[in-house]
Amino acid sequence: MLDLEVVPERSLGNELWEFALGMPLAQAISILQKHCRIIKNVQVLYSEQTPLSHDLILNLTQDGIKLLFDACNQRLKVIEVYDMSKVKLKYCGVHFNSQAIAPTIEQIDQSFGATHPGVYNAAEQLFHLNFRGLSFSFQLDSWSEAPKYEPNFAHGLASLQIPHGATVKRMYIYTGNSLQDTKAPAMPVACFFGNVYAESVDVLRDGAGPLGLRLRLLTAGCGLGVMADAKVRTLESSIYFGDSCQDVLSALGSPHKVFYKSEDKMKIHSPSPHKQVPSKCNDYFFNYFTLGVDILFDATTHLVKKFVLHTNYPGHYNFNIYHRCDFKIPLFIKTGNPVFFCQWDHIQELLGHPMEKPVVLHRSSSANNTNPFGSTFCFGLQRMIFEVMQNNHIASVTLYGSPRPNSQSRGGALSQ
């Protein structure tokens, strides 16, 4: 049984690991993978058809804990303990829930102190006792108790005393004063681990197609001393087609991995594939997993020839390899204003329908394995290839372009 420390409005964890509000989904999964012998039977719950309309949930079934991640930014929004009998909980080092200590209203009052009276929810038959960043839900013993706590009782007061001896059914950790209105906070400094993350990525375009990327980057923990490490710093950098490896390293830092292409499976779709002589050296990618970006370099010139932006939707073969890239692509239409999009139907309304049928992309780890998520479809429009999932959402966007003119400026500015 897990023995965990509760920190209201911040985290749930122990001396080895911690689930912190604002933590990226990939970090939470990394903790679960590292401690898989202790934390078992984890479910990933999401909406297959409308993945942005519902929270993405990691359900620790053996421990009675749910981690709710914001569907858009994929950061931890709410920590829910829905089965108090499967876990030990303590606050400031003192247990308030264990096999020997029942989480009664008296125990909660003793451990956490006074707060506003409990609020009764008639639909759930539950009382909710709220602290800042922490809520407890109490189950009524029987239906006969319910009418005494209806909102129309005692001159319309909706907040009344919780019955003596009532025990906690659920506990929630979140940011702010309201569980219903809470949002995933910014990523805590403790979650950076020296990495660089992308707050936003803007695709730079002209009338002909993509030119490059402008990234707003976040980093922390790179300064000298404890106080210097406590700040999150922002860095704006731009990279273009035709940039060298040195340009990219200066703008983004070292990649997490360098991947050399062994074959080009899309070469057969080129105008004259039979004329392409096998190269003695291979093109290679810089993989920036925390940015959700891949950058392809030409093996001969060592200049940028392609960008790949990943959305990290659940239900995709590459899910959880990359952090979500929050990218925006301006579309130049009759109004002259840039338009941002997320679904394939919307894109076609603005860019037009592709002239050719899509390329069907099958992914698997080996020739004998099947992909449980099915195939995706690749459509080409305006030097961009959109990889579309079967639910009409975009799995990735690949950008092609011409090298930028030498006169075009580039660079970054540091701000705090």
Side-chain angles (χ1 to χ4, degrees), residues 285-328:
F285 282 100
F286 278 7
N287 303 126
Y288 291 93
F289 297 128
T290 58
L291 303 182
V293 174
D294 291 329
I295 303 174
L296 180 67
F297 292 90
D298 184 273
T300 303
T301 65
H302 304 286
L303 301 180
V304 174
K305 60 187 293 188
K306 182 194 299 185
F307 297 104
V308 185
L309 313 177
H310 300 271
T311 60
N312 195 43
Y313 275 117
H316 185 260
Y317 185 78
N318 287 335
F319 175 65
N320 198 50
I321 294 178
Y322 299 86
H323 290 241
R324 168 163 292 176
C325 179
D326 182 17
F327 62 87
K328 297 180 177 67

Side-chain angles (χ1 to χ4, degrees), residues 369-399:
N369 290 346
T370 59
N371 178 359
F373 304 114
S375 302
T376 55
F377 305 91
C378 297
F379 298 87
L381 284 171
Q382 298 184 14
R383 297 212 310 256
M384 297 179 286
I385 294 180
F386 297 86
E387 182 190 355
V388 183
M389 301 169 63
Q390 296 183 17
N391 61 7
N392 200 40
H393 284 271
I394 307 301
S396 68
V397 177
T398 301
L399 309 175

Side-chain angles (χ1 to χ4, degrees), residues 3 17 29 40 42 44 75 82 96 102 137 152 172 200 222-223 231 244 267 285 335 341 366 374 394 416:
D3 191 354
W17 51 264
I29 294 178
K40 303 177 181 179
V42 178
V44 181
R75 295 196 304 270
Y82 61 87
F96 65 90
S137 298
N152 58 5
Y172 302 89
S200 62
C222 299
K231 289 184 179 180
S244 66
K267 182 171 63 175
F285 282 100
T335 59
F341 54 82
S366 69
I394 307 301
Q416 301 197 79

Side-chain angles (χ1 to χ4, degrees), residues 206 209-212 239-244 247 298 301-307 383 399-408 410:
D206 59 13
L211 301 172
I239 49 179
Y240 299 89
F241 293 107
D243 276 355
S244 66
D247 291 332
D298 184 273
T301 65
H302 304 286
L303 301 180
V304 174
K305 60 187 293 188
K306 182 194 299 185
F307 297 104
R383 297 212 310 256
L399 309 175
Y400 296 85
S402 303
R404 64 183 175 89
N406 293 330
S407 60
Q408 190 167 358
R410 56 183 309 279

Side-chain angles (χ1 to χ4, degrees), residues 105 187 196 275 318-319 342:
I105 179 59
M187 187 166 59
V196 177
K275 296 180 180 180
N318 287 335
F319 175 65
C342 62

